[in-house]
Structures are given as structure tokens and as C-alpha cells.
Amino acid sequence: MRAFRRIALALGAAGLLAGLLRLRGTGGTPPQRGGWRELSGPDLR
């Protein structure tokens, strides 16, 4: 019974933490610059 309580407490704490992080997160937008670019000339080395 003690192990069940510990597991339930750990799952509850993890769920609470995940909920707080989800509510607090800003999300935002992905970066609009950067990424892949074509290489040419001396950049190919």
C-alpha cells in the first residue's frame, strides 16, 4: 500500500508540474530567419 501511495504522489506531482509549465509557457512563433541555404564556390569545402 505504501508503494501505491508513493507512485500516486509522484504521478500527481509530475502532472501538476507539467500543467504549470504548460500554462506558464509563452509558445511564441518559430524563427523567421536562418535555416538552410545553398552553398556555392569556396563554401563547399
Side-chain angles (χ1 to χ4, degrees):
M1 192 65 177
R2 181 180 281 179
F4 177 74
R5 284 186 194 159
R6 285 187 180 180
I7 291 171
L9 180 64
L11 288 175
L16 181 64
L17 182 62
L20 287 173
L21 289 175
R22 184 173 176 96
L23 288 175
R24 190 166 182 252
T26 57
T29 58
Q32 302 298 316
R33 305 182 110 200
W36 292 93
R37 67 180 178 92
E38 245 184 85
L39 298 178
S40 61
D43 291 335
L44 291 174
R45 291 184 199 162

